[in-house]
Amino acid sequence: MAYLSMGEAHRRITDYLSRFCDAVSSQDAATLSALLAISSNFASLQAPADALNVFQDSNQLVNQVERYAQFAEILSPLLRCLQSYRLGRYSDAYVAFEKAANAFLQEFRNWETAWAMEAVYILALEIRLLAEKADRELSSSGKNTEKLQGAGSFLMKIFGALAGKGPKRVGALYVACQLFKVYFKLGTVHLCRSVIRSIETARLFDLDEFPVKDKVTYMYYTGRLEVYNENFTVADQKLTYALMHCSPNKEANKRMILKYLIPVKLSIGILPKQWLLEKYNLMEYNEVVKALKTGDLRLLRRALREHEDRFLRSGVYLVLEKLELQVYQRLMKKIYVLQKQKDPSKAHQLKIETAVKALNWLGMDMDMDEAECIMAILIFKNLTKGYISHKNKVVVLSKQDPFPKLNGKPVSS
Amino acid sequence: MDRETNRPKKLGFRPSKAPNPSPSSSSPVRLRPREEAKRDSTSSIHERRNPVLDEDEETGSPIFSYLVGTCPDMCPAKERQQRERLRDLSVFERLHGDPSRTSPKLAVKKFCRTMSNAELQEVEIRPLPVLRSTLKYLMNLVDTSDQPFEVVHDFVFDRTRSIRQDLTRQNILDDEAICMYEEMVKFHIESHKKLAMCYTKTDLASLCYLNTEQLMKCLATLFKLYDIHRRSSSLHKNEAEFYSFYVLLHLGGKIPQMGSSLSLWYRKLTLSILQSNEMRFSMTLIRYSRLGNFKRFFTRLEAEASDLQLCLVEPFLSEIRARAISYVNHSGYKLQPYPLKHLSDVLRIKESELEELCHVCGLETTMDEAGMKTLPVKQTSFSLPKLGLPVHSLSTF
């Protein structure tokens, strides 16, 4: 680092402080935001950060000048944060930022208008990013990671400041999404519930008043939750909304949405085209789709084994496992169609033995009892219409539409 | 506000993340009440909630500093005297049946949610060796007591909770802790089955629920201990089996929600656990149950379940069997009643028990000309009774 004189260092710091105070007095949210975006590493932040390592007594500087001193609770820790971040001390940077952010939130509460909303967004984003960095640092030195949890608490505070009547509400969805990201990362996803309740059922908000991009993010996360809880109809609605309203150039985001939407669509009997999987690099679903199309159970099981780790991590494994019933249905339908071609008058009588043979041929180890069991569940779930004569070891299919399609509805419970 | 914590001279120093505390006199260690939901990062590092062992984080238990216990008995003397005075002694703690007298060999420390500003002395906390022997005593009581099981369960339930509390306060996280937690999980699993067996008692549903809830709390803490253990070595020898218990719990319809679905829980597991035989087994059972493949479910269960896994699963079998009965009832041919013998083979249940289960679910059974019991199908009266189902074990053939 080039030699920095005391004078120059002093100048840089006061420059930063002045810009902050000017931004507040002229209600310039954009400038303010840039000053708070610690992890962005803007050159305009690096400069004062370097200076702080030379000019040690920034606290005194803040307290001595009146216009800075009125924001001392924000500025002193903020400077500390800049300095720590520059030195790569992320845990310290987080702690300082949290202090500054708390103080800033206090001021924000007192401002009547929502002029500083953009800055609050930055606050919400930064607290999470800095916490993540801090926890990584703590974890690599074997310490307990608790900063992200703290960030979650602070985000709830911001959320509280925005909820209610008045122009500040427009930021609530953004903050809610930051909270989702934190909870998903921490694995404490159940905490999303209270946030969702505040947004959706407490009637404090009308979803239409939020910016579209926030709604997309919101629908993405809440849609994912519905997938985990296997509420496929609602999941379909939410994730489809997210996909439809996602910016056309945000390919990565679309991919993330599709990763969850595809299993949902499969569960309601809608198959994606191959080109979609290729375009968005979701080929892990390719064999699953093929299995559903051909009734090849072996293929489904193989696909689940091969990508097991990936499916477990994204949380769709159990959803995909359930597709087995639809694959069985497809296979039975194929047998029925073949029988119909051979002898239409007898086609509706499906010997259980035939099903066993077909599955054995596919390499699946199956006996009469199990085949009967599967047929019983297919009938129970309305994937097959007919009845089983246990005595005669035959399934008597309905003459009308014995294998009804799902047509956008999930398999009945 | 005075935030000083004094750490008197300790026996068996339990290393914590705090730097060396200053030597001091033997004044009692203060418990700090919880001030706010948010953790104040500037507070003294002596004061923090135990992030690993605190089971009651949802309920907001106080922030402790790590203590080192010196109580030599299963129950601190002060508590013994107090409970003698108040005649608050369990039947197991009474000396010669006297409700106002106990002894160090009989009294066991109770679980109590500490209130704010209570002063807790080291002499009221039991150190590890005492906790170990206390647990042994309690487990022995379960095996040997003549008292009705619900009474024994109630006592041991509470007293083991207190043991866990003392472990938390002393931040004991090592192999010893793992051993003890595993014992306690075993107790809850065996209780789970024993309680379910007396299903006709009306208050048993809540007892079962509470037991399952404690079981899940124990498991949650045990998993955190395993995590810590894994940082310095490989999988603990019982780890896979204990993880499989959590999965198998989801076979039951009415378990207390730990807040997230199984899908979310799988996300956090390491590959080595997911690929273990025990986990594969339990995940496959879940699959068969969800798909309704009761044939495979029972054959696999019979073939691979360990004693404890079976113990855990058996109370759930009735509901699974009831579902199977409803599938058969729904999909059968109305002119051909279904043979109970065959169904009982598949469902691994005695024919007489299957008949009972059908009746409890509102279905009639009949006999055919050959004298074989059958289930007429397409009955419309099937329903799962509110009070629960009788528990029948796995009948092997």
Side-chain angles (χ1 to χ4, degrees), chain B residues 14 255 288 316 339 360 375 385:
Chain B
R14 185 68 46 196
I255 56 162
Y288 291 148
F316 301 139
V360 167
L375 172 74

Side-chain angles (χ1 to χ4, degrees), chain B residues 224-262:
Chain B
K224 289 185 189 151
L225 293 176
Y226 283 143
D227 275 347
I228 294 176
H229 175 267
R230 221 179 309 120
R231 283 185 211 162
S232 52
S233 44
S234 56
L235 282 192
H236 193 272
K237 68 171 156 57
N238 298 326
E239 194 168 343
E241 190 183 2
F242 279 79
Y243 268 98
S244 77
F245 294 149
Y246 185 84
V247 176
L248 292 171
L249 276 171
H250 288 77
L251 285 172
K254 301 187 206 123
I255 56 162
Q257 283 307 314
M258 285 290 265
S260 63
S261 66
L262 206 50

Side-chain angles (χ1 to χ4, degrees), chain B residues 65-79:
Chain B
S65 22
Y66 299 146
L67 305 162
V68 181
T70 57
C71 174
D73 306 317
M74 295 197 292
C75 181
K78 182 169 156 193
E79 183 182 315

Side-chain angles (χ1 to χ4, degrees), chain A residues 98-99 144 190 224 228 230 308-309 313 318 321 324 365 369-370 372-373 377 387-390, chain B residues 38 42 51 259 264 267 269 271 280 287 290-296 327 331 333 336 338 342:
Chain A
E98 204 192 273
K99 258 210 146 75
N144 273 327
H190 59 287
R224 273 175 76 178
Y228 296 141
E230 302 193 1
E308 184 181 54
D309 198 33
R313 296 265 168 254
L318 289 177
E321 256 189 352
E324 217 174 86
D365 168 32
D369 284 340
E370 190 181 349
E372 192 184 317
C373 186
I377 190 87
Y387 61 81
I388 304 173
S389 164
H390 169 78
Chain B
K38 184 183 163 322
T42 58
L264 282 166
R267 286 173 86 208
L269 298 184
L271 211 60
R280 288 238 163 280
R287 185 170 105 223
R290 280 157 47 94
L291 287 174
N293 188 342
F294 49 86
K295 164 75 185 177
R296 284 255 175 188
Y327 301 155
S331 62
Y333 180 34
Q336 291 174 353
Y338 202 95
H342 178 84

Side-chain angles (χ1 to χ4, degrees), chain A residues 80-314:
Chain A
R80 271 208 309 278
C81 174
L82 271 172
Q83 186 180 13
S84 299
Y85 189 86
R86 189 84 177 113
L87 293 170
R89 299 210 203 112
Y90 299 121
S91 192
D92 293 340
Y94 172 82
V95 172
F97 189 82
E98 204 192 273
K99 258 210 146 75
N102 258 303
F104 186 93
L105 191 62
Q106 278 296 88
E107 287 294 321
F108 178 76
R109 274 191 229 259
N110 296 332
W111 295 328
E112 275 184 26
T113 65
W115 72 264
M117 188 57 72
E118 197 185 324
V120 174
Y121 288 161
I122 294 291
L123 228 56
L125 178 64
E126 289 290 328
I127 195 110
R128 180 175 65 87
L129 294 177
L130 289 173
E132 286 176 5
K133 272 194 144 90
D135 274 353
R136 272 199 291 273
E137 183 184 79
L138 287 169
S139 150
S140 59
S141 54
K143 303 212 188 81
N144 273 327
T145 56
E146 21 151 68
K147 302 301 185 209
L148 195 57
Q149 224 168 329
S153 300
F154 180 71
L155 283 166
M156 278 306 258
K157 266 195 188 167
I158 306 184
F159 189 76
L162 299 177
K165 302 194 178 26
K168 293 178 185 167
R169 308 139 58 97
V170 70
L173 209 62
Y174 180 86
V175 178
C177 292
Q178 292 301 319
L179 273 164
F180 290 156
K181 292 185 193 201
V182 169
Y183 292 148
F184 268 77
K185 188 125 197 192
L186 285 174
T188 53
V189 174
H190 59 287
L191 294 175
C192 295
R193 230 181 296 143
S194 65
V195 180
I196 295 173
R197 229 180 297 138
S198 303
I199 300 265
E200 290 189 16
T201 56
R203 287 181 215 271
L204 282 175
F205 303 99
D206 180 9
L207 277 178
D208 288 333
E209 56 187 293
F210 295 116
V212 175
K213 75 170 180 64
D214 290 343
K215 277 201 276 192
V216 168
T217 313
Y218 181 80
M219 287 294 178
Y220 167 72
Y221 280 105
T222 51
R224 273 175 76 178
L225 288 177
E226 301 291 353
V227 177
Y228 296 141
N229 294 329
E230 302 193 1
N231 301 329
F232 296 128
T233 313
V234 184
D236 186 20
Q237 286 163 4
K238 295 195 169 204
L239 292 172
T240 302
Y241 178 96
L243 190 64
M244 293 297 170
H245 294 84
C246 187
S247 273
N249 57 337
K250 300 266 190 194
E251 299 288 310
N253 288 355
K254 285 201 193 158
R255 179 177 185 274
M256 280 164 68
I257 298 169
L258 280 168
K259 197 159 78 146
Y260 294 95
L261 187 55
I262 288 173
V264 171
K265 290 287 195 193
L266 293 177
S267 301
I268 58 179
I270 298 174
L271 273 48
K273 300 270 192 289
Q274 173 107 358
W275 66 258
L276 186 73
L277 298 180
E278 282 171 1
K279 178 174 180 190
Y280 289 100
N281 193 19
L282 288 166
M283 290 304 280
E284 61 261 33
Y285 292 122
N286 194 32
E287 287 188 324
V288 177
V289 174
K290 265 210 198 113
L292 282 166
K293 280 208 181 110
T294 55
D296 189 346
L297 205 68
R298 194 182 33 184
L299 194 58
L300 177 69
R301 298 240 177 114
R302 184 156 36 126
L304 285 179
R305 252 196 325 269
E306 198 178 314
H307 302 287
E308 184 181 54
D309 198 33
R310 200 197 302 226
F311 291 146
L312 282 170
R313 296 265 168 254
S314 58

